[in-house]
C-alpha cells in the first residue's frame, strides 16, 4: 500500500481521501447537506455538487444556525510565499465568496505574512512582501463584499490578535503542538506559536465559524475545537476540499515553486498554452489508439481542471467525459480548449485585479467590517 | 555538595555565584570597571561599590562607547504577577535609574503582562491587570526621566514588536529554546515564543544595549548575543546582580507569594515591623551569649538588607558590622532600626507613586522617547 501524509506544511504521496477522513476524524459531505444548502441558498455551487468539497465538521450545525436565523461567519486565509498564487489557491476563496453571497455573512481572510518565513520556506520578509500585496488583490478580485469582508495581515493586525492568541496559546502545550504539527528540534519558536494566530479569527464573532479550506489545514482547526469551549466560543465548522492536481499527473501536487505543475495567476498566455499543452493526460500513446480505445478522464489532470474550475455546466462536463472515453475527443483538442479557457479566465481576472486596487483599503481598513474589526477587542 | 539551579522561572537551592559565573560564561565586575564608571559618572552607586552587581558581559565595551561619545542605551523589565512588587524587585530599577542619570541615556522598560499567564503562574490575564498598573507606577516612582524613558506593555506594544520578534524567532530553534529555558511538553507554545519578545527591545537602537538585571535573566540575553549579529545589531551588554535574600534566612529567595520572605511595596507599617521583627538573623540564642560572642552578619538577612538597600554610607555599614560582630549591637535593636527605615522608605515611595500617576502617560505614550517609539519601525 502506498504511503502518504498530509500536514499543513507538506503533502507527500498519493492521498487516500477515505483514509484521511478516518484518520482526521472528519465527516463526508452527504446528499442531505447538499439538499439543505440548495434549499437555503437557492442554488448549489459545482464545487459542492461535484463533492470537490467532500468532507466537513459540524456542517449540519452551520445549516441549522442559518435556518434558525442565528447566522454564522466565514473564515479562510492565504499564506503569501515567494511566488504568485496559482489557480488551485483560489478554490477555497471561490467557495467562500459563493457562501458569502448566498448567506449574506461576514468573511474574515487572514494573510499570515510571516508564516512562510517562520516555516523557513523563504529567506526574508522582504522576499514575501510584494506577494503579500499581489495575493490580497487576487483575493479581492474574486468578488467579495467590501463591507462584509475583512482582510488582515498578521504583522499588522497582531495589535488586536496577540491578546486572544495568548489565551489560545495557554491551552496548547508543546507536546500537543509537536504531535499535531510534527514540529521538531529545527522548528523556529515563531512557527511553534503560529497555530495560536491561525486559531484567533475563529473567535472574532460570537457565532459559529465555518472555514472553507483544503483538508491539509484541518489540524489547526481540530485543535481549535478542543480550545474554543474553554474560551466560551463556538467550535469551528469546516468545509474541506480535496487538493487540486498538478498538471504533471493524477493526484500530484500543484506547487507554485514547481512551475510545470501549476498555472500561476500572472502567467502570460504563451506560458499558459505551453504548460497545458505539455500536461500529462489520460490519453493513449497514439491518436489512432485513442480513437479506438478512448481516453481515461479518471487519471487526467486536464479533465480534473475542467471539473474543478473550467466547466461549470454538469451536462457539458458529462459530454466531455463521454467524448473522451469513447475516443471522439482527442487530448490535443481538449488541452487547447482548456488553455483558451484558462487564458480568458486570467485576462478577466487581471481586469478585476486592476479594479481591486481602488477597493483594497476598504477590505483592510475602512470598509464597514474592517472599521469594526480595528475597534474590536476580544472579550471572554 | 549542595545542588542549585538558576533559571528565569525558578531559583532552587543555595546559589553558588562563583559556579554560576563559570556556568553562564559571564565575567566578574573588576576594580577597573568600577574605577572607569566612577571616572565617567563622577560617582559610584553603593550597589556597584559593594559588588551586588557582581558580574557582566561586555561592560568594558559599554564604557568605551560612553567614553568615545557613541553612547549606549539601557533596557530592563518587570513581569507583573498576581501580587505586588517586593523590595527586591526594585533593585535593577534603582541601578538603571542611576545609570540613566549619570550617563544621560535612554531607558526601555518592558512590562511583559502576558508572561506569568503563559508560564502558568496565574490563571487569567484579568488577575494580573491591576498589578500591571501598580508595577508601572512603582517603577516610575523611582525617578526615571520622562522624556528619555519608554515603558511598554507587551500586549499593547506588540503592534511594533511582532515583526522584529519574527526575525528573532526565525533564529531560535525549538531544540535551543528547550536547552536554554528547560521547556518541556507541558510548556505553553506562547511561552516558547516569549523569549523572542524579551529579546526585541535590545534591537530598539543602533547602539549597544546594557541590561541591569538579576543573573537569572542571563539566558535570554546569552541567546540575544548569538542572534544580534545576524540582524546587524549589537550584542547586548549586561550588568548582573546577585539575588536579594529573603527575610527567612541567608541565600533564601525573596518571593511575593511567600509573604514572610519579603516586604511588599504596599505593606502597611505594622506588617513591615512584624515581618522584620520575625526575620531570621545572624544572632545568638540569647542576648547574653551574643554580648559575649557577637553576631554573624555574613549569614544575616537583616544586615544583607542594610547593605543592598538601607545603608548607603559605607562607613556606617562597617560600623554596624563591627558592632554586630563584637556583640555591642543586638538583633532586636538592629531589626527595629531596619523596620523604621523600611517604613520611611515605603512612605516616601508611596508619595512618589501618587505623583507618578500624573506622569504615567508620558512614559507610556507621549513623552519624547515614547512618542518616538510609537513611530518606530525595525529596520535591518
Amino acid at each position: 500500500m502506498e504511503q502518504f501524509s498530509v500536514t499543513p506544511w507538506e503533502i507527500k504521496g498519493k492521498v487516500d481521501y477515505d483514509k484521511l477522513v478516518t484518520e482526521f476524524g472528519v465527516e463526508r459531505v452527504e446528499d442531505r447537506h447538499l439538499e439543505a444548502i440548495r434549499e437555503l441558498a437557492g442554488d448549489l455551487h459545482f464545487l459542492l455538487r461535484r463533492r470537490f468539497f467532500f468532507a466537513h465538521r459540524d456542517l449540519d450545525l452551520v445549516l441549522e444556525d442559518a435556518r434558525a436565523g442565528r447566522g454564522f461567519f466565514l473564515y479562510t486565509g492565504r499564506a503569501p510565499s515567494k511566488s504568485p498564487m496559482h489557480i488551485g489557491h483560489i478554490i477555497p476563496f471561490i467557495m467562500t465568496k459563493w457562501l458569502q453571497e448566498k448567506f449574506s455573512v461576514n468573511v474574515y481572510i487572514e494573510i499570515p505574512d510571516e508564516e512562510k518565513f517562520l516555516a523557513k520556506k523563504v529567506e526574508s520578509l522582504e522576499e514575501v512582501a510584494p506577494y503579500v500585496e499581489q495575493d490580497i488583490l487576487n483575493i479581492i478580485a474574486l468578488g467579495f463584499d467590501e463591507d462584509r469582508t475583512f482582510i488582515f495581515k498578521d504583522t499588522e493586525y497582531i495589535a488586536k490578535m496577540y491578546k486572544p492568541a495568548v489565551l489560545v496559546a495557554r491551552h496548547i502545550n508543546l507536546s500537543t503542538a509537536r504531535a499535531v504539527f510534527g514540529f521538531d528540534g529545527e522548528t523556529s519558536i515563531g512557527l511553534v506559536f503560529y497555530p495560536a494566530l491561525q486559531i484567533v479569527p475563529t473567535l472574532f464573532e460570537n457565532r459559529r465559524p465555518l472555514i472553507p479550506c483544503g483538508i491539509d489545514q484541518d489540524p489547526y482547526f481540530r485543535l481549535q475545537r478542543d480550545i474554543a469551549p474553554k474560551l466560551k466560543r463556538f467550535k469551528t465548522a469546516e468545509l474541506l476540499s480535496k487538493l487540486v492536481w498538478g498538471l504533471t499527473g493524477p493526484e500530484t501536487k500543484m506547487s507554485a515553486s514547481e512551475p510545470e505543475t501549476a498555472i500561476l495567476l500572472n502567467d502570460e498566455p504563451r506560458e499558459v498554452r505551453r504548460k497545458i499543452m505539455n500536461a500529462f493526460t489520460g490519453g493513449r500513446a497514439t491518436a489512432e489508439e485513442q480513437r479506438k480505445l478512448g481516453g481515461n478522464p479518471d487519471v487526467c489532470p486536464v479533465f480534473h481542471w475542467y471539473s474543478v474550475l473550467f466547466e461549470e455546466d454538469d451536462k457539458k462536463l458529462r459530454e466531455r467525459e463521454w467524448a473522451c472515453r469513447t475516443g471522439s475527443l482527442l487530448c490535443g483538442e481538449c488541452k487547447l480548449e482548456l488553455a483558451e479557457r484558462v487564458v480568458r479566465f486570467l485576462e478577466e481576472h487581471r481586469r478585476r485585479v486592476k479594479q481591486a486596487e481602488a477597493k483594497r483599503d476598504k477590505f483592510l481598513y475602512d470598509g464597514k467590517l474592517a472599521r469594526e474589526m480595528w475597534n474590536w477587542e476580544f472579550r471572554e
Side-chain angles (χ1 to χ4, degrees), chain A:
Chain A
M1 200 180 55
E2 234 180 310
Q3 285 290 315
F4 73 100
S5 91
V6 173
T7 73
W9 330 105
E10 203 168 30
I11 289 139
K12 274 189 205 150
K14 180 175 176 300
V15 180
D16 178 336
Y17 288 105
D18 284 325
K19 264 188 87 174
L20 212 53
V21 163
T22 316
E23 207 179 278
F24 281 13
V26 298
E27 290 174 77
R28 285 262 175 196
V29 170
E30 307 287 352
D31 289 344
R32 71 168 191 285
H33 299 115
L34 300 187
E35 281 155 24
I37 294 172
R38 190 192 293 277
E39 199 187 300
L40 287 159
D43 191 5
L44 200 58
H45 195 279
F46 67 91
L47 286 166
L48 285 166
R49 287 199 312 264
R50 294 176 194 163
R51 312 277 174 118
F52 190 67
F53 282 86
F54 76 112
H56 75 97
R57 291 181 189 270
D58 281 355
L59 186 54
D60 299 272
L61 297 179
V62 171
L63 295 169
E64 240 179 82
D65 286 345
R67 220 177 274 117
R70 285 185 296 269
F72 62 93
F73 69 98
L74 293 160
Y75 159 42
T76 192
R78 152 79 186 158
S81 189
K82 62 180 169 186
S83 42
M85 286 170 80
H86 62 57
I87 215 136
H89 288 136
I90 66 177
I91 288 184
F93 292 103
I94 290 175
M95 190 74 261
T96 303
K97 187 256 163 187
W98 185 85
L99 289 166
Q100 174 175 58
E101 198 179 291
K102 297 300 173 184
F103 290 90
S104 303
V105 294
N106 289 341
V107 170
Y108 300 89
I109 298 173
E110 182 167 38
I111 308 291
D113 51 348
E114 82 287 43
E115 198 253 9
K116 298 285 183 197
F117 175 68
L118 289 174
K120 305 183 188 183
K121 307 270 184 190
V122 301
E123 288 312 308
S124 71
L125 290 173
E126 287 69 33
E127 211 177 324
V128 179
Y131 297 103
V132 172
E133 280 310 303
Q134 264 192 40
D135 290 1
I136 289 173
L137 295 178
N138 276 319
I139 292 165
I140 293 173
L142 296 171
F144 290 96
D145 179 338
E146 65 193 34
D147 281 317
R148 282 183 169 279
T149 307
F150 178 47
I151 302 179
F152 53 100
K153 305 184 235 182
D154 278 6
T155 61
E156 270 187 17
Y157 199 58
I158 190 71
K160 296 288 180 179
M161 288 169 83
Y162 184 63
K163 223 170 178 173
V166 163
L167 299 177
V168 169
R170 165 78 187 241
H171 295 293
I172 308 178
N173 289 346
L174 195 45
S175 58
T176 305
R178 291 179 71 132
V180 173
F181 300 106
F183 296 145
D184 62 26
E186 297 299 304
T187 305
S188 152
I189 60 167
L191 197 69
V192 172
F193 177 62
Y194 172 74
L197 293 175
Q198 185 155 334
I199 287 172
V200 164
T202 65
L203 314 174
F204 280 174
E205 296 192 9
N206 262 320
R207 272 184 276 220
R208 197 181 310 278
L210 172 63
I211 305 173
C213 63
I215 192 164
D216 55 308
Q217 297 295 306
D218 175 66
Y220 289 108
F221 305 123
R222 212 184 306 153
L223 205 51
Q224 190 273 359
R225 292 169 56 86
D226 291 337
I227 297 165
K230 297 175 189 162
L231 299 175
K232 300 181 189 88
R233 282 296 201 277
F234 285 92
K235 288 183 180 191
T236 193
E238 299 167 44
L239 183 56
L240 300 164
S241 76
K242 294 181 181 173
L243 306 158
V244 185
W245 299 358
L247 287 170
T248 42
E251 304 278 0
T252 58
K253 209 189 135 212
M254 205 189 300
S255 165
S257 56
E258 294 161 62
E260 296 310 303
T261 65
I263 300 293
L264 307 183
L265 294 183
N266 67 349
D267 274 346
E268 294 300 327
R270 164 193 290 213
E271 194 62 5
V272 171
R273 291 186 185 105
R274 190 186 62 73
K275 285 182 184 178
I276 292 181
M277 295 318 285
N278 286 335
F280 178 94
T281 70
R284 302 283 172 174
T286 65
E288 198 180 350
E289 217 180 310
Q290 185 154 350
R291 276 197 200 90
K292 211 162 68 191
L293 301 169
N296 182 5
D298 299 339
V299 299
C300 179
V302 172
F303 183 77
H304 178 75
W305 281 35
Y306 277 110
S307 88
V308 301
L309 275 165
F310 295 103
E311 184 52 87
E312 294 189 25
D313 186 319
D314 290 349
K315 187 162 162 282
K316 287 189 184 159
L317 189 71
R318 274 197 308 274
E319 284 167 7
R320 181 175 299 276
E321 186 183 344
W322 184 248
C324 170
R325 285 199 200 282
T326 56
S328 68
L329 175 64
L330 296 191
C331 294
E333 189 187 333
C334 190
K335 289 200 277 192
L336 208 58
E337 205 179 326
L338 179 67
E340 292 318 307
R341 290 193 191 189
V342 174
V343 165
R344 277 203 308 280
F345 171 84
L346 291 182
E347 272 170 8
E348 172 64 13
H349 181 73
R350 267 169 227 152
R351 206 180 49 76
R352 290 190 180 153
V353 165
K354 270 267 165 260
Q355 295 170 337
E357 282 169 25
K359 288 187 287 184
R360 170 191 179 276
D361 285 1
K362 289 249 179 208
F363 288 91
L364 275 80
Y365 309 113
D366 48 31
K368 186 168 169 294
L369 185 60
R371 263 183 288 119
E372 277 171 37
M373 290 308 293
W374 281 102
N375 288 313
W376 175 79
E377 295 283 349
F378 178 78
R379 302 243 176 273
E380 246 181 284

